[in-house]
Amino acid sequence: MSTTNTSGRRKTAVARIYLQDGNGAITVNGKDYKVYFPTLPLQYIVNQSFEVAEVAGKYDVKVNVAGGGVKGQAEAVRLAIAKAIVELDADKKSALRAKGLVTRDMRMVERKKPGRAKARKRFQFSKR
């Protein structure tokens, strides 16, 4: 089997993955994913697409991820893996869609507006 290449995004994080047949090794930016994502919730997020599609341990994944924080990066990797699984086997799409794993989360940070402290927060006003 050739390599399947997809990308996933979340907030400002972008993940590019290369998925191929193997024994379940996941490498993120040259490190094992358990080293790159040290907490169990982040590791669960990365593996979630494989578990829902019931293909855990069948594919090796090489990931390049940049931008954002670790949670956004983990969710970007999850989306990219889900898209790659759907590309290989379209029958898995309904199970992944039911868990919301093939939908791009479009929520982004709102920009700061001029004349305000933050995006919506205003400066303190005192009438005196």
Side-chain angles (χ1 to χ4, degrees), residues 44-71:
Y44 173 76
I45 288 171
V46 170
N47 281 316
Q48 194 173 5
S49 295
F50 287 128
E51 292 171 10
V52 170
E54 298 171 351
V55 292
K58 287 188 177 180
Y59 300 107
D60 285 346
V61 184
K62 183 175 181 275
V63 182
N64 295 322
V65 66
V70 287
K71 176 102 193 257

Short mmCIF file of all heavy atoms in Angstrom, two decimals, residues 44-71:
data_model
loop_
_atom_site.label_atom_id
_atom_site.label_comp_id
_atom_site.label_asym_id
_atom_site.label_seq_id
_atom_site.Cartn_x
_atom_site.Cartn_y
_atom_site.Cartn_z
N TYR A 44 -5.11 9.99 24.30
CA TYR A 44 -6.42 9.46 23.95
C TYR A 44 -6.99 10.19 22.72
O TYR A 44 -7.54 9.56 21.82
CB TYR A 44 -7.38 9.58 25.13
CG TYR A 44 -8.80 9.21 24.77
CD1 TYR A 44 -9.18 7.87 24.61
CD2 TYR A 44 -9.77 10.18 24.56
CE1 TYR A 44 -10.47 7.52 24.27
CE2 TYR A 44 -11.06 9.85 24.22
CZ TYR A 44 -11.41 8.52 24.07
OH TYR A 44 -12.68 8.18 23.72
N ILE A 45 -6.84 11.52 22.70
CA ILE A 45 -7.34 12.31 21.57
C ILE A 45 -6.67 11.86 20.28
O ILE A 45 -7.32 11.69 19.25
CB ILE A 45 -7.10 13.82 21.82
CG1 ILE A 45 -8.06 14.33 22.90
CG2 ILE A 45 -7.26 14.63 20.55
CD1 ILE A 45 -7.76 15.73 23.38
N VAL A 46 -5.35 11.64 20.31
CA VAL A 46 -4.62 11.24 19.12
C VAL A 46 -5.09 9.87 18.62
O VAL A 46 -5.24 9.64 17.42
CB VAL A 46 -3.09 11.23 19.39
CG1 VAL A 46 -2.33 10.59 18.25
CG2 VAL A 46 -2.60 12.65 19.64
N ASN A 47 -5.35 8.93 19.54
CA ASN A 47 -5.75 7.57 19.18
C ASN A 47 -7.24 7.41 18.92
O ASN A 47 -7.67 6.35 18.46
CB ASN A 47 -5.34 6.59 20.27
CG ASN A 47 -3.88 6.24 20.19
OD1 ASN A 47 -3.37 5.98 19.12
ND2 ASN A 47 -3.22 6.23 21.33
N GLN A 48 -8.04 8.42 19.22
CA GLN A 48 -9.49 8.29 19.17
C GLN A 48 -10.01 7.86 17.80
O GLN A 48 -10.90 7.01 17.71
CB GLN A 48 -10.13 9.61 19.60
CG GLN A 48 -11.60 9.50 19.91
CD GLN A 48 -12.15 10.79 20.50
OE1 GLN A 48 -11.45 11.79 20.60
NE2 GLN A 48 -13.40 10.75 20.88
N SER A 49 -9.47 8.41 16.73
CA SER A 49 -9.94 8.06 15.39
C SER A 49 -9.70 6.58 15.09
O SER A 49 -10.55 5.91 14.48
CB SER A 49 -9.24 8.92 14.34
OG SER A 49 -9.60 10.26 14.49
N PHE A 50 -8.55 6.06 15.50
CA PHE A 50 -8.25 4.65 15.28
C PHE A 50 -9.22 3.75 16.05
O PHE A 50 -9.69 2.74 15.53
CB PHE A 50 -6.82 4.32 15.71
CG PHE A 50 -5.77 4.86 14.79
CD1 PHE A 50 -4.72 5.62 15.29
CD2 PHE A 50 -5.80 4.61 13.44
CE1 PHE A 50 -3.74 6.11 14.46
CE2 PHE A 50 -4.82 5.08 12.59
CZ PHE A 50 -3.79 5.84 13.10
N GLU A 51 -9.51 4.12 17.29
CA GLU A 51 -10.38 3.29 18.13
C GLU A 51 -11.81 3.29 17.62
O GLU A 51 -12.46 2.24 17.59
CB GLU A 51 -10.32 3.77 19.58
CG GLU A 51 -8.97 3.51 20.23
CD GLU A 51 -8.81 4.17 21.59
OE1 GLU A 51 -9.82 4.67 22.12
OE2 GLU A 51 -7.69 4.17 22.11
N VAL A 52 -12.31 4.45 17.21
CA VAL A 52 -13.69 4.53 16.71
C VAL A 52 -13.83 3.74 15.40
O VAL A 52 -14.82 3.05 15.19
CB VAL A 52 -14.11 6.01 16.51
CG1 VAL A 52 -15.42 6.11 15.77
CG2 VAL A 52 -14.22 6.70 17.86
N ALA A 53 -12.82 3.82 14.53
CA ALA A 53 -12.86 3.10 13.25
C ALA A 53 -12.46 1.63 13.40
O ALA A 53 -12.51 0.88 12.42
CB ALA A 53 -11.94 3.79 12.25
N GLU A 54 -12.05 1.24 14.59
CA GLU A 54 -11.65 -0.14 14.89
C GLU A 54 -10.49 -0.61 14.02
O GLU A 54 -10.49 -1.73 13.49
CB GLU A 54 -12.84 -1.09 14.77
CG GLU A 54 -13.95 -0.76 15.75
CD GLU A 54 -15.22 -1.56 15.50
OE1 GLU A 54 -15.31 -2.25 14.46
OE2 GLU A 54 -16.12 -1.48 16.35
N VAL A 55 -9.49 0.25 13.84
CA VAL A 55 -8.29 -0.10 13.08
C VAL A 55 -7.02 0.15 13.89
O VAL A 55 -5.95 0.36 13.33
CB VAL A 55 -8.23 0.65 11.72
CG1 VAL A 55 -9.33 0.19 10.80
CG2 VAL A 55 -8.29 2.14 11.92
N ALA A 56 -7.13 0.15 15.21
CA ALA A 56 -5.98 0.42 16.07
C ALA A 56 -4.89 -0.62 15.83
O ALA A 56 -5.15 -1.82 15.76
CB ALA A 56 -6.40 0.41 17.54
N GLY A 57 -3.64 -0.14 15.65
CA GLY A 57 -2.51 -1.03 15.46
C GLY A 57 -2.29 -1.49 14.03
O GLY A 57 -1.39 -2.28 13.77
N LYS A 58 -3.09 -1.00 13.08
CA LYS A 58 -2.94 -1.44 11.69
C LYS A 58 -2.07 -0.50 10.86
O LYS A 58 -1.58 -0.90 9.81
CB LYS A 58 -4.31 -1.55 11.02
CG LYS A 58 -5.12 -2.73 11.46
CD LYS A 58 -6.35 -2.87 10.60
CE LYS A 58 -7.17 -4.08 10.98
NZ LYS A 58 -8.37 -4.21 10.13
N TYR A 59 -1.92 0.74 11.30
CA TYR A 59 -1.23 1.73 10.49
C TYR A 59 -0.11 2.42 11.27
O TYR A 59 -0.22 2.62 12.48
CB TYR A 59 -2.20 2.81 10.00
CG TYR A 59 -3.32 2.27 9.15
CD1 TYR A 59 -4.61 2.19 9.65
CD2 TYR A 59 -3.10 1.84 7.86
CE1 TYR A 59 -5.65 1.71 8.88
CE2 TYR A 59 -4.12 1.35 7.07
CZ TYR A 59 -5.40 1.28 7.58
OH TYR A 59 -6.41 0.80 6.81
N ASP A 60 0.95 2.77 10.55
CA ASP A 60 2.00 3.64 11.09
C ASP A 60 1.70 5.05 10.63
O ASP A 60 1.27 5.27 9.50
CB ASP A 60 3.38 3.23 10.57
CG ASP A 60 3.90 1.98 11.24
OD1 ASP A 60 3.33 1.57 12.27
OD2 ASP A 60 4.88 1.40 10.73
N VAL A 61 1.94 6.02 11.51
CA VAL A 61 1.65 7.42 11.20
C VAL A 61 2.88 8.26 11.47
O VAL A 61 3.49 8.17 12.53
CB VAL A 61 0.46 7.94 12.05
CG1 VAL A 61 0.11 9.36 11.65
CG2 VAL A 61 -0.74 7.05 11.96
N LYS A 62 3.24 9.08 10.49
CA LYS A 62 4.30 10.07 10.67
C LYS A 62 3.61 11.43 10.59
O LYS A 62 2.92 11.72 9.62
CB LYS A 62 5.34 9.94 9.57
CG LYS A 62 6.50 10.90 9.73
CD LYS A 62 7.57 10.62 8.68
CE LYS A 62 8.73 11.57 8.86
NZ LYS A 62 8.53 12.85 8.18
N VAL A 63 3.79 12.26 11.64
CA VAL A 63 3.07 13.53 11.75
C VAL A 63 4.06 14.68 11.81
O VAL A 63 5.06 14.62 12.52
CB VAL A 63 2.20 13.56 13.04
CG1 VAL A 63 1.42 14.84 13.12
CG2 VAL A 63 1.29 12.36 13.11
N ASN A 64 3.76 15.73 11.05
CA ASN A 64 4.42 17.03 11.20
C ASN A 64 3.35 17.99 11.67
O ASN A 64 2.35 18.19 10.98
CB ASN A 64 5.00 17.52 9.87
CG ASN A 64 6.10 16.62 9.37
OD1 ASN A 64 6.90 16.12 10.15
ND2 ASN A 64 6.13 16.40 8.07
N VAL A 65 3.55 18.58 12.86
CA VAL A 65 2.53 19.47 13.40
C VAL A 65 3.20 20.76 13.85
O VAL A 65 4.33 20.74 14.37
CB VAL A 65 1.74 18.79 14.55
CG1 VAL A 65 2.60 18.50 15.74
CG2 VAL A 65 0.53 19.60 14.95
N ALA A 66 2.53 21.88 13.63
CA ALA A 66 3.09 23.18 14.01
C ALA A 66 1.95 24.12 14.39
O ALA A 66 0.82 23.96 13.95
CB ALA A 66 3.88 23.77 12.83
N GLY A 67 2.28 25.11 15.20
CA GLY A 67 1.33 26.15 15.57
C GLY A 67 0.44 25.75 16.72
O GLY A 67 0.28 24.57 17.03
N GLY A 68 -0.14 26.75 17.37
CA GLY A 68 -1.10 26.50 18.43
C GLY A 68 -0.47 25.91 19.68
O GLY A 68 0.74 25.90 19.86
N GLY A 69 -1.32 25.37 20.54
CA GLY A 69 -0.89 24.72 21.78
C GLY A 69 -0.99 23.22 21.63
O GLY A 69 -1.40 22.70 20.59
N VAL A 70 -0.65 22.50 22.69
CA VAL A 70 -0.61 21.04 22.59
C VAL A 70 -2.00 20.45 22.38
O VAL A 70 -2.16 19.49 21.63
CB VAL A 70 0.07 20.39 23.82
CG1 VAL A 70 1.55 20.61 23.80
CG2 VAL A 70 -0.54 20.86 25.11
N LYS A 71 -3.03 21.01 23.00
CA LYS A 71 -4.40 20.47 22.82
C LYS A 71 -4.86 20.69 21.38
O LYS A 71 -5.41 19.78 20.75
CB LYS A 71 -5.35 21.17 23.80
CG LYS A 71 -6.80 20.76 23.64
CD LYS A 71 -7.22 19.79 24.69
CE LYS A 71 -8.53 19.16 24.35
NZ LYS A 71 -9.70 19.52 24.94
#
